[in-house]
Amino acid sequence: MYEIRTDLALEAKEKFETDNVEIKGVRLEKEKKSEELQITSMVIETENGAKSMGRPRGNYITIEAPSMDDEDDGYHREISMELSQIIRRLIPKDQCSSVLVVGLGNREVTSDSLGPKVADQLFITRHMIREFGPGVFGDARHEVSAVVPGVMAQTGMESYEIIRGIVTETKPDYIIAIDALAARSTKRLNRTIQITDTGIHPGSGVGNHRHPLTKEALGIPVIAIGIPTVVDAATIVNDTMSNLLEALAAHAPFGTMKSSYRSLNEVEQYELVRELLVPQLHTLYVTPKDIDASVNRLSYTISEAINLAFSE
């Protein structure tokens, strides 16, 4: 059976809520900062909750900003400030003197270039502090270093192998991994930021599984930050079919069709749509047409948040 793919823990939780299923061991809190900014904190507290959610135990924080894809410097600054505060909560100042930022993804593929573009805009301080001491910037700062490991087709190596070697040599206290994600819903494309302290499984949202970047694998805590930039084509078709049948349900000939389709659960509906798509479309993922401009804006928003978080 096909799995409805999403990298967003919040979407996985919403699926259970739609089915009226309560998950024990998962705690959810929502905080509405403004009409255009909401933060949802989800904590998977038990192994039972982790098994049900299909995700490891830990904190999953989601920033939902419906207008994040728009050009509004003040709005993006507000998002950066909120994100920097979340990073500071997950990385206590007294437990971290150095951080390695990893820009995951492929710089040559626009929808997958978020990580590399964030790394390009960071204020890198490790070499300066090592050379001249913490006072070189006036105030004590964290040592910030960054790497863009590329993808296996470019290097012949998994990102994990490259990062593990760097961690062994430079010994940072924390890793922040930035990656583009896959969403279940088109409304969340370029409008949602997920932050988690459980690490990351690169490529899992599009079925391209690689070695995980986690504390267990690398020996130090890994904070993952991601924004969904692609959605499965079958998801779009499935949502469109549901909306169409809903609109036509008032007409008797289509009422039976709607009942038959609704008798299937969500995964069965999704599987049916994928089987109807021609084989060449089974692995098709879709991204907005202005993704280049969006990634440029969003990469700056994330890089500004990281710069703010480690500037003091």
Side-chain angles (χ1 to χ4, degrees):
M1 181 173 289
Y2 294 114
E3 176 186 2
I4 299 178
R5 292 172 180 153
T6 177
D7 287 315
L8 299 177
L10 182 60
E11 289 189 330
K13 180 67 167 59
E14 288 173 344
K15 169 62 174 64
F16 287 99
E17 293 174 352
T18 301
D19 294 340
N20 296 317
V21 176
E22 181 181 354
I23 308 176
K24 294 183 178 180
V26 178
R27 179 162 46 88
L28 193 72
E29 296 179 1
K30 294 186 178 183
E31 181 182 3
K32 191 171 184 178
K33 293 289 185 176
S34 67
E35 290 299 321
E36 292 292 326
L37 188 62
Q38 177 172 288
I39 298 178
T40 303
S41 299
M42 183 173 70
V43 184
I44 300 180
E45 301 176 314
T46 66
E47 289 301 329
N48 176 68
K51 184 177 180 181
S52 299
M53 291 290 295
R55 285 165 170 76
R57 295 170 60 182
N59 294 284
Y60 298 83
I61 303 168
T62 306
I63 299 176
E64 296 179 273
S67 301
M68 191 167 70
D69 202 25
D70 298 341
E71 290 190 58
D72 185 335
D73 293 342
Y75 184 50
H76 280 261
R77 176 72 176 182
E78 181 184 357
I79 297 170
S80 294
M81 293 291 291
E82 292 293 342
L83 178 55
S84 69
Q85 292 177 18
I86 293 171
I87 294 172
R88 287 173 178 170
R89 289 203 303 268
L90 295 178
I91 304 181
K93 188 175 181 180
D94 59 349
Q95 297 179 17
C96 176
S97 62
S98 63
V99 60
L100 170 64
V101 181
V102 179
L104 296 170
N106 188 344
R107 192 185 295 274
E108 305 303 321
V109 178
T110 307
S111 60
D112 196 32
S113 63
L114 179 69
K117 290 193 174 184
V118 169
D120 290 345
Q121 302 175 79
L122 293 175
F123 183 38
I124 304 300
T125 60
R126 180 178 183 272
H127 60 305
M128 298 291 288
I129 293 176
R130 290 290 176 106
E131 181 71 21
F132 302 107
V136 66
F137 298 110
D139 299 317
R141 285 178 176 266
H142 295 76
E143 293 181 6
V144 178
S145 55
V147 63
V148 178
V151 294
M152 186 178 290
Q154 296 169 327
T155 65
M157 296 175 283
E158 282 208 33
S159 297
Y160 163 77
E161 296 173 312
I162 297 173
I163 297 165
R164 183 181 61 180
I166 294 173
V167 168
T168 301
E169 182 66 27
T170 65
K171 298 178 173 57
D173 297 315
Y174 275 81
I175 287 176
I176 297 180
I178 315 295
D179 200 9
L181 308 179
R184 163 68 182 85
S185 171
T186 54
K187 71 179 182 180
R188 287 201 165 95
L189 289 180
N190 302 329
R191 296 177 177 87
T192 304
I193 303 176
Q194 176 175 270
I195 311 98
T196 175
D197 60 3
T198 62
I200 193 167
H201 293 69
S204 59
V206 295
N208 186 21
H209 297 278
R210 296 300 183 201
H211 202 292
L213 306 178
T214 61
K215 181 178 181 179
E216 292 72 23
L218 295 169
I220 60 174
V222 180
I223 306 299
I225 302 175
I227 296 177
T229 59
V230 298
V231 64
D232 189 353
T235 295
I236 298 176
V237 176
N238 184 35
D239 291 347
T240 303
M241 287 180 59
S242 297
N243 293 336
L244 178 62
L245 290 175
E246 195 70 38
L248 295 176
H251 302 277
F254 298 99
T256 304
M257 186 185 303
K258 177 191 173 184
S259 300
S260 299
Y261 189 69
R262 291 299 190 194
S263 67
L264 304 174
N265 62 39
E266 187 175 2
V267 175
E268 290 171 336
Q269 292 173 10
Y270 181 78
E271 182 177 352
L272 173 62
V273 170
R274 289 195 58 147
E275 289 178 347
L276 292 174
L277 292 175
V278 298
Q280 291 83 353
L281 297 181
H282 279 179
T283 57
L284 179 65
Y285 283 80
V286 181
T287 192
K289 65 179 181 180
D290 59 345
I291 187 63
D292 51 346
S294 296
V295 168
N296 287 336
R297 283 193 296 271
L298 299 175
S299 63
Y300 179 77
T301 301
I302 294 180
S303 63
E304 184 180 33
I306 294 174
N307 288 335
L308 288 171
F310 298 110
S311 63
E312 299 177 357

Coordinates of all heavy atoms in Angstrom, one line a residue, residues 162-223:
I162 N 30.1 12.7 5.1 CA 30.9 14.0 5.1 C 30.7 14.7 6.4 O 31.7 15.2 7.0 CB 30.4 14.9 3.9 CG1 30.6 14.2 2.6 CG2 31.0 16.3 4.0 CD1 30.0 14.9 1.4
I163 N 29.5 14.8 6.9 CA 29.3 15.5 8.2 C 29.9 14.8 9.3 O 30.5 15.4 10.2 CB 27.7 15.6 8.4 CG1 27.2 16.5 7.3 CG2 27.4 16.2 9.7 CD1 25.7 16.4 7.2
R164 N 29.9 13.5 9.3 CA 30.5 12.7 10.4 C 32.0 13.0 10.5 O 32.6 13.2 11.6 CB 30.3 11.2 10.3 CG 30.9 10.4 11.4 CD 30.6 8.9 11.1 NE 31.3 8.5 9.9 CZ 31.2 7.2 9.4 NH1 30.5 6.3 10.1 NH2 31.8 6.9 8.3
G165 N 32.7 13.1 9.3 CA 34.1 13.4 9.3 C 34.4 14.8 9.8 O 35.3 15.1 10.6
I166 N 33.5 15.8 9.5 CA 33.7 17.2 9.9 C 33.5 17.3 11.4 O 34.2 18.0 12.1 CB 32.7 18.1 9.2 CG1 33.1 18.2 7.7 CG2 32.7 19.5 9.8 CD1 32.1 18.9 6.8
V167 N 32.4 16.6 11.9 CA 32.2 16.6 13.4 C 33.3 16.0 14.1 O 33.7 16.5 15.2 CB 30.9 15.8 13.7 CG1 30.7 15.5 15.2 CG2 29.6 16.5 13.1
T168 N 33.9 14.9 13.6 CA 35.0 14.3 14.3 C 36.2 15.2 14.4 O 37.0 15.3 15.4 CB 35.5 13.0 13.6 OG1 34.4 12.1 13.5 CG2 36.6 12.3 14.2
E169 N 36.4 16.0 13.3 CA 37.6 16.9 13.3 C 37.4 18.2 14.0 O 38.3 18.7 14.7 CB 37.9 17.2 11.8 CG 39.1 18.1 11.6 CD 40.4 17.4 12.0 OE1 40.5 16.1 12.0 OE2 41.4 18.1 12.4
T170 N 36.2 18.8 13.8 CA 36.0 20.2 14.4 C 35.3 20.2 15.8 O 35.3 21.2 16.5 CB 35.2 21.1 13.4 OG1 33.9 20.5 13.2 CG2 35.9 21.1 12.1
K171 N 34.6 19.1 16.1 CA 34.0 18.9 17.4 C 33.0 20.0 17.8 O 33.1 20.7 18.8 CB 35.0 18.7 18.5 CG 35.9 17.5 18.3 CD 36.9 17.4 19.4 CE 37.7 16.0 19.2 NZ 38.3 15.9 17.9
P172 N 32.0 20.3 17.0 CA 31.0 21.3 17.4 C 30.1 20.7 18.5 O 30.0 19.5 18.7 CB 30.2 21.5 16.1 CG 30.3 20.2 15.4 CD 31.7 19.7 15.7
D173 N 29.4 21.6 19.2 CA 28.5 21.2 20.3 C 27.1 20.8 19.7 O 26.4 20.0 20.3 CB 28.3 22.3 21.3 CG 29.6 22.6 22.0 OD1 30.3 21.7 22.4 OD2 29.9 23.8 22.2
Y174 N 26.7 21.5 18.7 CA 25.4 21.3 18.0 C 25.5 21.3 16.5 O 26.4 22.0 16.0 CB 24.4 22.3 18.5 CG 23.7 22.0 19.8 CD1 24.3 22.3 21.0 CD2 22.4 21.5 19.8 CE1 23.6 22.1 22.2 CE2 21.7 21.3 21.0 CZ 22.4 21.6 22.2 OH 21.7 21.3 23.4
I175 N 24.5 20.7 15.9 CA 24.4 20.8 14.4 C 23.0 21.4 14.2 O 22.0 21.0 14.8 CB 24.5 19.4 13.7 CG1 26.0 18.9 13.7 CG2 24.0 19.5 12.3 CD1 26.2 17.6 13.1
I176 N 22.9 22.3 13.2 CA 21.7 22.8 12.7 C 21.6 22.4 11.2 O 22.4 22.8 10.4 CB 21.5 24.3 12.8 CG1 21.5 24.7 14.3 CG2 20.2 24.7 12.2 CD1 21.3 26.2 14.5
A177 N 20.7 21.5 10.9 CA 20.6 21.0 9.5 C 19.4 21.7 8.8 O 18.3 21.7 9.4 CB 20.4 19.5 9.5
I178 N 19.6 22.3 7.7 CA 18.6 23.0 6.9 C 18.3 22.2 5.7 O 19.2 21.8 4.9 CB 19.1 24.4 6.5 CG1 19.8 25.1 7.6 CG2 17.9 25.2 5.9 CD1 18.9 25.5 8.8
D179 N 17.0 22.0 5.4 CA 16.6 21.1 4.2 C 15.2 21.6 3.7 O 14.4 22.0 4.5 CB 16.6 19.7 4.6 CG 16.7 18.7 3.4 OD1 17.0 19.2 2.3 OD2 16.5 17.5 3.6
A180 N 15.1 21.4 2.4 CA 13.7 21.5 1.8 C 12.9 20.3 2.1 O 13.4 19.2 2.1 CB 13.9 21.7 0.3
L181 N 11.6 20.5 2.4 CA 10.7 19.4 2.8 C 9.7 19.1 1.7 O 9.5 19.9 0.8 CB 10.1 19.7 4.1 CG 11.0 20.1 5.3 CD1 10.2 20.4 6.5 CD2 12.1 19.0 5.5
A182 N 8.9 18.0 1.9 CA 7.7 17.7 1.1 C 6.5 17.8 2.0 O 6.5 17.4 3.2 CB 7.8 16.3 0.5
A183 N 5.4 18.4 1.5 CA 4.2 18.6 2.2 C 3.1 17.7 1.7 O 3.1 17.2 0.6 CB 3.8 20.1 2.2
R184 N 2.1 17.6 2.6 CA 0.9 16.9 2.2 C -0.1 17.8 1.5 O -0.9 17.4 0.7 CB 0.3 16.2 3.5 CG -1.2 15.8 3.4 CD -1.3 14.6 2.4 NE -2.7 14.2 2.3 CZ -3.6 14.8 1.5 NH1 -3.2 15.8 0.7 NH2 -4.9 14.4 1.4
S185 N -0.1 19.1 1.9 CA -1.0 20.0 1.4 C -0.4 21.2 0.7 O 0.7 21.7 1.1 CB -1.8 20.6 2.6 OG -2.7 21.7 2.2
T186 N -1.0 21.6 -0.4 CA -0.4 22.7 -1.2 C -0.4 24.0 -0.4 O 0.4 24.9 -0.7 CB -1.2 22.9 -2.5 OG1 -2.6 23.0 -2.2 CG2 -1.0 21.7 -3.4
K187 N -1.4 24.2 0.5 CA -1.5 25.4 1.3 C -0.3 25.7 2.2 O -0.1 26.8 2.7 CB -2.8 25.4 2.1 CG -2.8 24.5 3.3 CD -4.1 24.6 4.1 CE -4.0 23.6 5.3 NZ -5.3 23.7 6.1
R188 N 0.5 24.6 2.4 CA 1.7 24.8 3.3 C 3.0 25.0 2.5 O 4.0 25.3 3.1 CB 1.8 23.6 4.2 CG 0.8 23.6 5.3 CD 1.2 22.7 6.5 NE 0.3 23.0 7.6 CZ -0.7 22.3 7.9 NH1 -1.1 21.3 7.2 NH2 -1.4 22.6 9.0
L189 N 2.9 24.9 1.2 CA 4.2 25.1 0.4 C 4.7 26.6 0.6 O 3.9 27.5 0.4 CB 3.9 24.9 -1.1 CG 3.6 23.5 -1.5 CD1 3.4 23.4 -3.0 CD2 4.8 22.6 -1.2
N190 N 5.9 26.7 1.0 CA 6.6 28.0 1.2 C 5.9 28.8 2.3 O 6.2 30.0 2.3 CB 6.7 28.8 -0.1 CG 7.4 28.0 -1.2 OD1 8.3 27.2 -0.9 ND2 7.0 28.2 -2.4
R191 N 5.1 28.2 3.1 CA 4.4 29.0 4.1 C 4.5 28.4 5.5 O 3.8 28.9 6.4 CB 2.9 29.1 3.8 CG 2.6 29.9 2.5 CD 1.1 29.9 2.1 NE 0.8 30.6 0.9 CZ 0.8 30.1 -0.3 NH1 1.2 28.8 -0.5 NH2 0.6 30.9 -1.3
T192 N 5.3 27.4 5.7 CA 5.5 26.7 6.9 C 6.9 26.4 7.2 O 7.7 26.0 6.3 CB 4.7 25.4 6.9 OG1 3.3 25.6 6.5 CG2 4.8 24.7 8.2
I193 N 7.3 26.6 8.5 CA 8.7 26.2 8.9 C 8.6 25.2 10.0 O 7.8 25.4 11.0 CB 9.5 27.5 9.4 CG1 9.6 28.6 8.4 CG2 10.9 27.0 9.8 CD1 10.2 29.8 8.9
Q194 N 9.3 24.1 9.9 CA 9.3 23.1 10.9 C 10.6 23.0 11.6 O 11.7 23.0 10.9 CB 8.9 21.7 10.4 CG 9.0 20.6 11.4 CD 8.6 19.2 10.9 OE1 7.4 18.9 11.0 NE2 9.5 18.5 10.3
I195 N 10.6 23.1 12.9 CA 11.9 23.0 13.7 C 11.7 21.8 14.6 O 10.7 21.6 15.3 CB 12.1 24.2 14.5 CG1 12.0 25.5 13.6 CG2 13.5 24.2 15.1 CD1 10.6 26.2 13.7
T196 N 12.7 20.9 14.6 CA 12.7 19.8 15.5 C 14.0 19.4 16.1 O 15.1 19.7 15.5 CB 12.1 18.5 14.8 OG1 12.2 17.4 15.6 CG2 12.9 18.2 13.5
D197 N 14.1 18.9 17.3 CA 15.3 18.5 17.9 C 15.6 17.0 17.8 O 16.4 16.4 18.5 CB 15.3 18.9 19.4 CG 14.2 18.2 20.2 OD1 13.5 17.4 19.6 OD2 14.1 18.5 21.4
T198 N 14.9 16.4 16.8 CA 15.1 14.9 16.6 C 16.0 14.6 15.5 O 16.2 13.4 15.1 CB 13.7 14.3 16.4 OG1 13.2 14.8 15.2 CG2 12.8 14.5 17.5
G199 N 16.6 15.6 14.8 CA 17.4 15.3 13.7 C 16.6 15.3 12.4 O 15.5 15.7 12.4
I200 N 17.2 14.7 11.4 CA 16.5 14.7 10.1 C 16.9 13.4 9.3 O 18.0 12.9 9.4 CB 16.9 16.0 9.3 CG1 16.0 16.2 8.1 CG2 18.4 15.9 8.9 CD1 16.2 17.5 7.5
H201 N 16.0 13.0 8.4 CA 16.3 11.9 7.5 C 16.2 12.5 6.1 O 15.1 12.6 5.5 CB 15.2 10.8 7.7 CG 15.3 10.0 9.0 ND1 15.0 10.7 10.2 CD2 15.7 8.8 9.3 CE1 15.1 9.8 11.2 NE2 15.6 8.6 10.7
P202 N 17.3 12.9 5.5 CA 17.3 13.5 4.2 C 16.6 12.7 3.2 O 16.8 11.5 3.0 CB 18.8 13.7 3.9 CG 19.5 13.6 5.2 CD 18.7 12.7 6.1
G203 N 15.7 13.4 2.4 CA 15.0 12.7 1.3 C 13.9 11.9 1.6 O 13.2 11.3 0.7
S204 N 13.5 11.7 2.9 CA 12.5 10.8 3.3 C 11.1 11.2 2.7 O 10.3 10.4 2.4 CB 12.4 10.6 4.8 OG 12.1 11.9 5.4
G205 N 10.9 12.5 2.6 CA 9.6 13.0 2.2 C 9.3 12.6 0.7 O 8.1 12.6 0.3
V206 N 10.3 12.4 -0.1 CA 10.1 12.1 -1.5 C 10.5 10.6 -1.8 O 10.8 10.3 -2.9 CB 10.9 13.1 -2.4 CG1 10.3 14.4 -2.3 CG2 12.4 13.1 -2.2
G207 N 10.7 9.8 -0.7 CA 11.0 8.4 -0.9 C 12.4 8.1 -1.2 O 12.8 7.0 -1.7
N208 N 13.3 9.1 -1.0 CA 14.7 8.9 -1.3 C 15.5 8.8 0.0 O 16.1 9.8 0.5 CB 15.2 10.1 -2.1 CG 16.7 9.9 -2.6 OD1 17.2 8.8 -2.6 ND2 17.3 11.0 -2.9
H209 N 15.4 7.7 0.7 CA 15.9 7.5 2.1 C 17.4 7.5 2.1 O 18.1 6.7 1.3 CB 15.3 6.3 2.7 CG 13.8 6.3 2.8 ND1 13.2 7.0 3.9 CD2 12.8 5.9 2.0 CE1 11.9 6.9 3.7 NE2 11.7 6.2 2.6
R210 N 18.0 8.3 3.0 CA 19.5 8.3 3.2 C 19.7 8.1 4.7 O 18.8 8.1 5.5 CB 20.1 9.6 2.7 CG 19.9 9.9 1.3 CD 20.6 8.8 0.4 NE 20.6 9.1 -1.0 CZ 20.7 8.1 -1.9 NH1 20.9 6.9 -1.6 NH2 20.6 8.4 -3.2
H211 N 21.0 7.9 5.0 CA 21.4 7.7 6.4 C 21.0 8.9 7.3 O 21.2 10.1 6.9 CB 22.9 7.6 6.5 CG 23.4 6.9 7.8 ND1 23.2 7.4 9.0 CD2 23.9 5.7 8.0 CE1 23.7 6.6 9.9 NE2 24.1 5.5 9.3
P212 N 20.3 8.7 8.4 CA 19.8 9.8 9.2 C 20.9 10.7 9.8 O 22.0 10.2 10.1 CB 19.0 9.1 10.3 CG 19.6 7.8 10.4 CD 20.0 7.4 9.0
L213 N 20.6 11.9 10.0 CA 21.5 12.8 10.7 C 20.8 13.1 12.1 O 19.9 13.9 12.2 CB 21.6 14.1 10.0 CG 22.1 14.0 8.5 CD1 22.2 15.4 7.9 CD2 23.4 13.3 8.4
T214 N 21.2 12.3 13.1 CA 20.6 12.3 14.4 C 21.7 12.3 15.5 O 22.9 12.1 15.2 CB 19.7 11.1 14.6 OG1 20.5 9.9 14.5 CG2 18.6 11.1 13.6
K215 N 21.3 12.6 16.7 CA 22.3 12.5 17.8 C 22.9 11.1 18.0 O 24.0 11.0 18.3 CB 21.6 13.0 19.1 CG 22.5 13.0 20.3 CD 21.7 13.4 21.6 CE 22.7 13.5 22.8 NZ 22.0 13.9 24.0
E216 N 22.0 10.1 17.7 CA 22.5 8.8 17.9 C 23.6 8.4 16.8 O 24.5 7.7 17.1 CB 21.3 7.8 17.7 CG 20.3 7.8 18.9 CD 19.4 9.0 18.9 OE1 19.3 9.7 17.8 OE2 18.9 9.4 19.9
A217 N 23.4 9.0 15.6 CA 24.3 8.7 14.5 C 25.6 9.5 14.6 O 26.7 9.1 14.2 CB 23.6 8.9 13.2
L218 N 25.5 10.8 15.1 CA 26.6 11.7 15.0 C 27.2 12.0 16.4 O 28.3 12.6 16.4 CB 26.2 13.0 14.3 CG 25.8 12.9 12.9 CD1 25.1 14.2 12.4 CD2 27.0 12.5 12.0
G219 N 26.6 11.7 17.4 CA 27.1 11.9 18.8 C 26.9 13.2 19.4 O 27.2 13.5 20.5
I220 N 26.2 14.2 18.7 CA 25.9 15.5 19.2 C 24.4 15.8 18.8 O 24.0 15.3 17.8 CB 26.8 16.6 18.7 CG1 26.8 16.7 17.2 CG2 28.2 16.4 19.2 CD1 27.6 17.9 16.7
P221 N 23.8 16.7 19.5 CA 22.4 17.0 19.2 C 22.3 17.6 17.8 O 23.1 18.4 17.4 CB 22.0 18.0 20.3 CG 22.9 17.7 21.4 CD 24.2 17.3 20.8
V222 N 21.2 17.3 17.1 CA 20.9 17.8 15.7 C 19.6 18.5 15.7 O 18.5 17.9 16.0 CB 21.0 16.7 14.7 CG1 20.7 17.3 13.3 CG2 22.3 16.0 14.7
I223 N 19.6 19.8 15.4 CA 18.3 20.6 15.3 C 18.1 20.7 13.8 O 19.0 21.1 13.0 CB 18.5 22.0 15.8 CG1 18.9 21.9 17.3 CG2 17.2 22.7 15.7 CD1 18.0 21.2 18.2

